[in-house]
Amino acid sequence: MVQNANIEPAAEQHERVLIVDFGSQVTQLIARRVRENGVYCEIHPYNKVDDAFLKAYAPKAIIFSGGPASVIEGESPRAPAQAFELGVPILAICYGQQTMSVQLGGVVEGGHAREFGRANVEIKKSSPLFEGVWQVGGKYPVWMSHGDRVTKLAPGFEVIATSENAPFAIAVDEGRRFYTTMFHPEVVHTPDGGKLLKNFTHRIAGMKGDWSMAAFKDEAIARIRAQVGDGRVICGLSGGVDSSVAAVLIHEAIGEQLHCVFVDHGLMRLYEAEQVVTLFRDHYNIPLIHADESERFLGALTGVDDPEIKRKTIGKLFIDVFEEKAKSVGGADFLAQGTLYPDVIESVSAIGGPSVTIKSHHNVGGLPERMNMRLVEPLRDLFKDEVRALGRELGLPEAFVGRHPFPGPGLAIRVPGAITREKLDILRHADAVYLDEIRKAGLYDKIWQAFAVLLPVRSVGVMGDGRTYEYVCALRAVTSTDGMTADFFPFPMDFLGRAATRIINEVKGVNRVVYDVTSKPPGTIEWE
């Protein structure tokens, strides 16, 4: 989707917004906010949006994202000129405001006071962009992130809001329905940002908000049937919410043409394999191959301490197993997997992002030619929380829909350094105790993701009357909506005390427990 101008059938059924990406770390949050308002949208890199694409996509509105470049540099990104001629509303954010200003005859300069973080905008004139949200004369909190700024507006624009260091915090051309903001309405630090975006899509662009998960399910089933025909599909099932939802959706579309392969690579959480097999064999009667390949995976990972090599080794072995199992059932024409929209965007970054590192264990870019299979990725338009909603629409048990994300490489990247069976066993049991305490405290559903990490260091301690020299276990728990940004969960100290005491008492090999309070800003990952 992101890498070419082909428009997905699902998108053709709905009003849609085009988000032109200039490389901002929070571009995906724009899509999240737009979709929360019931409007279908897609993100496409600025240098992939040409006249042919715009004609095929036919957006009802366009949003320009922010970005790290400076428009006063000669080779900096520019918006597609044809976008200004379509006659549809445009909302330009931060860098988007700056490039729109320059391209339409305004001036942007550097060397002024920078503005990063919280700021207040003062509303000078009314506008449909914030009608019913902000009042003229009021001051409202927003999130700024800019060094350069507009110093002369393009013809037709007027200032309707200012901040201390952004005299053109909001500038608009109401006649052409061009709206620009120097701040980022998509981030949670702009409290009313979602309402502004809804005003743009519904009030200004006249959208109805016709995109729902029920509609997506029906369209996805039709799309799978059209793509697969009478072909056979192998689905890589990890037991996580993404692949589980993908498997059930595909099975609803093509029934017994689907075979699922659950690869037990020896890097699963405690009792994970049994849970996956039970769900799919007992609840869904989906043909399932349980491939116990733990010896193979752990053998290949022996002595490997580089996390990137771990990921790539695991990814290659997954493909090898899928290929072998496809032959065992008489061959397959397609390989299905639970690729999500963030995987697609980050893996096809046209603006120099960290995609190669982040998604190295995925096969988003395609499969090895020797497999002679095509990919089926029915969730590639969705964010994680949307996948959960689809799972509920499909009737998956809440135990699977609401479970915390678990990475494809499993515990391999939660044991920094070389992997051993001893370390994996220690980590499994520490992780199980930690999650058990979270569930007992009624906190599991309030946390996006929680897990233990076995640090590659040993600590000297005293337990009873003897000295110990054992591992340090780190506990991690974060809150998030879509996994793109996260903050640590503020456990009360008595909870941490109980969890740490149980781990030290019940898990042989651990004598010290620490809690990680690192936040996850956009564009970063942790322990993975």
Side-chain angles (χ1 to χ4, degrees):
M1 176 205 313
V2 177
Q3 61 266 47
N4 56 54
N6 295 329
I7 308 305
E8 294 290 335
E12 294 177 359
Q13 308 299 319
H14 302 282
E15 305 168 320
R16 51 192 179 271
V17 169
L18 170 63
I19 300 172
V20 179
D21 184 18
F22 291 105
S24 169
Q25 292 183 338
V26 293
T27 297
Q28 295 187 50
L29 296 183
I30 303 174
R32 287 298 305 115
R33 302 296 171 257
V34 171
R35 290 187 180 189
E36 285 167 1
N37 292 324
V39 175
Y40 184 83
C41 62
E42 293 180 11
I43 300 170
H44 291 270
Y46 73 94
N47 56 359
K48 303 294 183 181
V49 179
D50 55 19
D51 292 357
F53 176 90
L54 288 169
K55 182 177 180 181
Y57 190 86
K60 194 164 183 180
I62 297 174
I63 299 176
F64 295 161
S65 83
S70 170
V71 296
I72 60 180
E73 296 174 355
E75 300 299 321
S76 56
R78 290 292 181 267
Q82 182 61 27
F84 301 117
E85 307 300 326
L86 293 179
V88 302
I90 298 176
L91 173 64
I93 298 169
C94 197
Y95 182 90
Q97 181 196 61
Q98 295 173 11
T99 192
M100 174 186 272
S101 297
V102 168
Q103 290 179 248
L104 297 181
V107 176
V108 172
E109 296 178 351
H112 297 273
R114 299 184 301 172
E115 199 169 29
F116 294 96
R118 290 179 174 82
N120 289 309
V121 295
E122 182 176 358
I123 307 304
K124 303 294 186 180
K125 295 183 179 181
S126 62
S127 169
L129 184 63
F130 44 74
E131 186 175 337
V133 182
W134 291 346
Q135 303 297 320
V136 174
K139 292 185 177 181
Y140 302 95
V142 298
W143 187 262
M144 294 282 190
S145 181
H146 65 93
D148 300 341
R149 72 185 190 193
V150 177
T151 56
K152 178 183 177 183
L153 291 175
F157 283 81
E158 64 174 337
V159 176
I160 59 174
T162 64
S163 71
E164 182 177 356
N165 291 310
F168 306 133
I170 303 178
V172 307
D173 181 337
E174 298 282 7
R176 288 185 286 181
R177 296 188 297 172
F178 291 169
Y179 299 81
T180 72
T181 69
M182 195 67 260
F183 59 88
H184 288 268
E186 68 273 26
V187 301
V188 295
H189 307 296
T190 300
D192 295 322
K195 297 175 183 177
L196 302 188
L197 288 167
K198 185 173 184 179
N199 270 355
F200 175 70
T201 56
H202 288 61
R203 192 182 298 275
I204 293 170
M207 294 183 167
K208 300 184 295 291
D210 63 352
W211 195 69
S212 68
M213 200 47 62
F216 177 89
K217 183 191 78 169
D218 294 339
E219 293 159 4
I221 289 172
R223 189 163 63 248
I224 292 165
R225 289 172 178 164
Q227 179 186 6
V228 172
D230 58 1
R232 296 164 66 91
V233 180
I234 287 282
C235 178
L237 185 67
S238 71
V241 62
D242 305 336
S243 62
S244 298
V245 171
V248 174
L249 178 66
I250 295 169
H251 186 253
E252 190 158 326
I254 62 173
E256 293 185 359
Q257 293 169 246
L258 170 70
H259 277 80
C260 288
V261 177
F262 169 57
V263 181
D264 184 352
H265 49 27
L267 301 164
M268 309 296 290
R269 290 174 291 203
L270 197 63
Y271 307 127
E272 184 108 39
E274 294 88 342
Q275 293 171 358
V276 173
V277 172
T278 298
L279 174 74
F280 281 87
R281 284 189 175 156
D282 296 352
H283 287 73
Y284 286 97
N285 198 29
I286 298 175
L288 175 65
I289 300 170
H290 180 190
D292 185 350
E293 299 286 343
S294 56
E295 294 290 339
R296 185 176 186 176
F297 276 79
L298 295 180
L301 292 168
T302 300
V304 177
D305 58 5
D306 185 300
E308 234 1 71
I309 297 177
K310 287 181 185 179
R311 286 172 165 273
K312 291 178 179 178
T313 299
I314 292 167
K316 178 182 181 301
L317 288 176
F318 268 128
I319 290 296
D320 291 344
V321 174
F322 292 147
E323 187 175 20
E324 293 166 9
K325 298 307 176 183
K327 293 177 181 177
S328 74
V329 296
D333 306 290
F334 299 89
L335 173 65
Q337 57 184 23
T339 304
L340 303 192
Y341 199 37
D343 301 332
V344 176
I345 299 167
E346 291 175 351
S347 297
V348 195
S349 172
I351 314 169
S355 57
V356 174
T357 298
I358 293 176
K359 300 300 174 185
S360 55
H361 66 283
H362 284 263
N363 303 299
V364 182
L367 298 171
E369 289 186 10
R370 72 170 194 275
M371 291 191 72
N372 194 30
M373 292 186 200
R374 287 166 286 169
L375 283 172
V376 177
E377 299 173 311
L379 310 181
R380 64 185 283 128
D381 289 339
L382 302 183
F383 291 89
K384 175 75 76 173
D385 53 318
E386 294 172 327
V387 173
R388 296 189 196 281
L390 176 59
R392 295 183 179 99
E393 191 72 33
L394 289 163
L396 263 78
E398 191 63 31
F400 263 70
V401 174
R403 74 191 319 182
H404 293 177
F406 189 61
L411 300 182
I413 42 74
R414 293 179 180 170
V415 178
I419 297 170
T420 66
R421 291 182 183 276
E422 177 197 22
K423 290 180 181 178
L424 289 172
D425 286 341
I426 292 171
L427 179 57
R428 280 193 191 94
H429 285 88
D431 190 70
V433 170
Y434 179 40
L435 292 178
D436 183 55
E437 282 296 321
I438 288 174
R439 289 189 174 96
K440 286 179 176 177
L443 298 174
Y444 189 86
D445 293 335
K446 298 179 181 180
I447 296 170
W448 167 264
Q449 186 181 47
F451 54 87
V453 177
L454 194 68
L455 299 183
V457 295
R458 290 177 182 263
S459 172
V460 176
V462 176
M463 298 179 71
D465 295 323
R467 288 191 179 276
T468 62
Y469 184 57
E470 296 178 335
Y471 288 103
V472 177
C473 178
L475 304 181
R476 177 81 164 136
V478 297
T479 58
S480 182
T481 299
D482 48 31
M484 300 312 302
T485 61
D487 204 354
F488 68 91
F489 185 80
F491 284 122
M493 287 304 297
D494 61 339
F495 170 88
L496 293 175
R498 288 195 307 273
T501 299
R502 277 195 63 191
I503 290 171
I504 291 170
N505 286 339
E506 298 177 27
V507 182
K508 186 178 180 180
V510 175
N511 69 358
R512 192 174 302 277
V513 176
V514 298
Y515 183 57
D516 177 11
V517 295
T518 308
S519 296
K520 178 186 175 186
T524 67
I525 54 176
E526 77 291 328
W527 304 115
E528 294 186 15

